[in-house]
Amino acid sequence: MQSIQSMKKYLFLFIAMLSLPASGLALNVGEKAPDFTLMDLDDHSQTLSSQQGKFVVLEWFNYDCPFVKKHYGSGNMQALQKKWTDQGVVWWSINSSASGKQGNYSPEDMKKLAEERKTASSAIVLDPDGIVGKSYEAKTTPHLYVINPEGQLIYQGAIDDQPSSEPETIQGAKNYADQALEQATQSQPVTDSSTKSYGCSIKY
Amino acid sequence: MNRRIAAVLFLISFSSFDVFAAENLKSHIKAEVVSDRSSVQPGERFYAGIHFKMDPDWHIYWRNAGDSGIPTVIDWKLPEGVRAGPLLWPFPKKIQMEEITSYGYDDEIILLNEMTISENFSSHQLTLEADVTWLGCEKICVPGKSSPSLTLPVSSSASEPSENNEKIQNTLTSLPEPFLEPLKGKVSGSNVTLELPEEWGTKKEILFYPYEDNWLDHGAPQKISKVETGWVLKTKKSSIAPAFSDSTIKPGIIAINEGEKVYEVEIDFIQSKNEDASLLGHLTFKPSGTLLLAIGALGFFFFCNKIRGK
């Protein structure tokens, strides 16, 4: 009798699982941002859900990618990181390069590289298994995501509207990530909430 | 210590972290100007283009780079009296790197333009020069830039084919042909369905490559299947696709059996919101599984009740 009850319970669970939408993996703006825990360079674990109540920026990077160099070499990325972390936004720079692939460094080496660049993010977190990158469908470096205090994704895509590795294109570019943060922090709807990211492929 | 050794050591100590300076900017892609003529005559049309040669495993990108990468750009600097037509893109390869799907070219490719030289062109020489930019990628990516040129004599006598003529003719035959009728497309949830002409149904492989980079899931499989109305190609929409309007037209190309035939097509989408069509779209996919499950569940309950009855 009891076994039949538990069988029914499993069957219910089984049906509940399968009735999830077929496209359940696609991540859309407006949906809940997938939770994760990753280690930062000081060996502290960082968990997205523990940042509820704050805006969070996720920035995929690979210091050896020319498109990332464009934004770090010019100081553009660091300026944006400083501007928003100064206002209480949590900014995590995420590296999903797999071991042995371009842009993958040990935490110690990554720390040196970040210091050389005066990276101003709240933390640099490492995702060498690519699990978090894949759950966000992060495709390129750079690729930026903005999450609101309720934990919903409100922006995903390119840093700006200039898909080029030339630093000269930064001047006058429309910075989508900055725009999303400006609008969302003033309780306005984000106008360009999903854009096509540009850059090198993430080295999963 | 010897000064030279000190300098070398100093350089070595920096080299591993020196990312701002040019690391390994050796070009893996060569770009040179080619023409189908060895001399040109005022008033005629001819072809000129950029011949890209890639190192093994390196590639450059198509007009739509896909998930990552940057389209190759050719900006001709032509003298007065010479005009370039639109850039002619042969159909690209799908480049798959883990989760990321891009479109591009490896090995070698010629990107051509049709050139028109006016009747009154009076100079004895024509220099065809272009500013060419590309992103070359292997496992890593290196942006490239060059301004190659080719100077041809201009003569009043009939022009002669060049040594590159055969290669250029081959490239021309591999370009997409215009397909006159737009194909009908349907979007329902994340499913994209393209209606195919009847005669394509028996083809082994049909691949659609969109010109715009932001609406199709570049990595999703594209399957030919038979429905009541005929043959269709089924694939997926990108999660970042902007909303489709009542008659969204999406241009692209269709390559049949790896380029046996390539067409430039327009897909005319009728976005079916809550209409029958969208319901049907769902029926063919999700609920069929749910239906099976429901039948299974019913059977299971009967089975459980039967055991209980005993």
Side-chain angles (χ1 to χ4, degrees):
Chain A
M1 187 65 208
Q2 205 177 10
S3 73
I4 291 169
Q5 283 303 330
S6 65
M7 266 156 106
K8 277 187 181 172
K9 201 166 92 190
Y10 283 125
L11 183 75
F12 174 76
L13 276 174
F14 180 62
I15 292 173
M17 261 165 61
L18 284 172
S19 58
L20 285 171
S23 58
L25 286 174
L27 180 62
N28 292 308
V29 166
E31 288 173 5
K32 187 138 185 72
D35 196 17
F36 61 85
T37 299
L38 287 173
M39 300 309 275
D40 68 16
L41 300 180
D42 297 318
D43 215 22
H44 297 133
S45 70
Q46 299 282 1
T47 301
L48 180 65
S49 54
S50 65
Q51 299 298 335
Q52 282 240 333
K54 291 178 188 161
F55 282 95
V56 179
V57 176
L58 307 179
E59 171 224 337
W60 263 267
F61 77 97
N62 165 357
Y63 286 142
D64 299 332
C65 161
F67 296 86
V68 174
K69 286 184 196 176
K70 164 187 160 185
H71 292 287
Y72 276 95
S74 60
N76 188 43
M77 189 68 85
Q78 299 91 320
L80 202 63
Q81 290 164 342
K82 180 149 188 356
K83 172 181 171 182
W84 290 105
T85 50
D86 279 355
Q87 295 180 44
V89 169
V90 175
W91 186 301
W92 289 345
S93 301
I94 304 183
N95 182 289
S96 292
S97 292
S99 168
K101 296 214 178 158
Q102 189 204 38
N104 176 288
Y105 291 96
S106 69
E108 301 76 52
D109 288 350
M110 192 67 93
K111 213 167 172 175
K112 276 186 212 161
L113 293 170
E115 277 162 13
E116 278 174 16
R117 282 163 187 71
K118 300 189 168 62
T119 301
S121 44
S122 319
I124 293 175
V125 293
L126 302 181
D127 175 39
D129 301 326
I131 293 167
V132 177
K134 287 173 188 173
S135 75
Y136 278 79
E137 297 183 350
K139 303 247 193 257
T140 62
T141 50
H143 197 157
L144 280 87
Y145 296 78
V146 180
I147 297 160
N148 70 11
E150 289 76 46
Q152 290 161 326
L153 186 65
I154 54 166
Y155 176 74
Q156 84 76 32
I159 178 170
D160 63 23
D161 64 349
Q162 296 296 316
S164 156
S165 60
E166 301 283 338
E168 304 87 75
T169 58
I170 292 172
Q171 190 90 41
K174 179 178 185 177
N175 193 305
Y176 292 128
D178 189 48
Q179 176 186 266
L181 283 161
E182 286 283 359
Q183 292 173 330
T185 51
Q186 289 167 42
S187 310
Q188 288 165 6
V190 175
T191 41
D192 304 290
S193 60
S194 188
T195 64
K196 170 82 193 322
S197 72
Y198 69 86
C200 309
S201 59
I202 294 184
K203 314 303 178 193
Y204 286 123
Chain B
M1 202 191 320
N2 184 318
R3 232 188 227 180
R4 201 179 277 172
I5 295 173
V8 168
L9 281 180
F10 179 78
L11 280 175
I12 290 172
S13 69
F14 272 80
S15 60
S16 59
F17 289 122
D18 189 12
V19 201
F20 286 121
E23 15 114 72
N24 180 16
L25 285 182
K26 168 184 179 301
S27 181
H28 298 272
I29 319 283
K30 281 188 196 73
E32 57 181 53
V33 178
V34 289
S35 165
D36 62 342
R37 314 272 93 187
S38 58
S39 69
V40 288
Q41 194 182 15
E44 75 169 350
R45 289 169 180 220
F46 64 101
Y47 287 98
I50 306 296
H51 188 187
F52 293 92
K53 288 180 186 160
M54 276 65 82
D55 280 359
D57 300 323
W58 283 78
H59 60 264
I60 57 169
Y61 294 90
W62 188 50
R63 54 183 293 168
N64 165 10
D67 285 337
S68 67
I70 296 290
T72 304
V73 176
I74 298 174
D75 187 9
W76 288 102
K77 306 284 171 209
L78 300 170
E80 206 169 313
V82 181
R83 271 187 304 117
L87 187 58
L88 305 168
W89 299 87
F91 89 99
K93 274 191 182 162
K94 270 199 185 190
I95 299 154
Q96 193 69 42
M97 293 179 108
E98 299 284 332
E99 313 286 301
I100 291 141
T101 308
S102 303
Y103 307 109
Y105 306 105
D106 58 7
D107 194 20
E108 62 172 318
I109 194 76
I110 304 178
L111 300 183
L112 291 167
N113 294 80
E114 190 183 40
M115 302 289 180
T116 313
I117 174 163
S118 87
E119 302 241 355
N120 337 320
F121 193 83
S122 55
S123 171
H124 297 295
Q125 282 195 331
L126 166 60
T127 297
L128 302 164
E129 188 186 351
D131 289 339
V132 189
T133 54
W134 64 85
L135 181 68
C137 295
E138 181 223 20
K139 289 184 185 72
I140 61 166
C141 299
V142 179
K145 200 197 277 192
S146 77
S147 299
S149 69
L150 173 71
T151 300
L152 297 174
V154 180
S155 77
S156 51
S157 53
S159 59
E160 293 283 320
S162 75
E163 52 177 15
N164 289 308
N165 183 46
E166 202 184 318
K167 252 187 181 156
I168 289 175
Q169 295 308 317
N170 287 338
T171 304
L172 288 171
T173 56
S174 73
L175 293 175
E177 297 169 36
F179 195 75
L180 301 176
E181 289 285 303
L183 301 182
K184 280 197 187 121
K186 219 178 272 173
V187 174
S188 159
S190 65
N191 297 317
V192 174
T193 311
L194 312 183
E195 288 182 18
L196 302 177
E198 188 62 35
E199 65 271 22
W200 292 359
T202 51
K203 303 290 181 193
K204 202 171 72 212
E205 183 192 62
I206 293 182
L207 290 176
F208 173 70
Y209 300 83
Y211 282 171
E212 293 165 24
D213 60 10
N214 63 349
W215 66 274
L216 198 77
D217 180 343
H218 305 302
Q222 301 194 354
K223 287 188 196 131
I224 310 170
S225 43
K226 177 97 178 166
V227 295
E228 288 141 64
T229 49
W231 293 98
V232 294
L233 192 67
K234 286 186 173 179
T235 186
K236 295 277 174 191
K237 202 175 78 170
S238 155
S239 58
I240 63 161
F244 280 55
S245 71
D246 281 345
S247 63
T248 300
I249 306 271
K250 297 287 189 192
I253 61 170
I254 283 217
I256 298 174
N257 295 348
E258 294 179 6
E260 180 186 292
K261 207 81 186 151
V262 187
Y263 295 102
E264 182 167 51
V265 294
E266 282 192 330
I267 315 285
D268 191 349
F269 280 97
I270 302 145
Q271 168 72 333
S272 33
K273 283 169 194 135
N274 293 316
E275 298 160 21
D276 295 350
S278 100
L279 271 176
L280 268 176
H282 277 290
L283 270 176
T284 55
F285 186 54
K286 264 188 273 170
S288 65
T290 316
L291 203 71
L292 267 178
L293 265 176
I295 294 168
L298 260 173
F300 190 81
F301 276 110
F302 275 123
F303 171 73
C304 293
N305 283 336
K306 218 172 164 187
I307 295 178
R308 193 159 23 174
K310 276 185 179 173

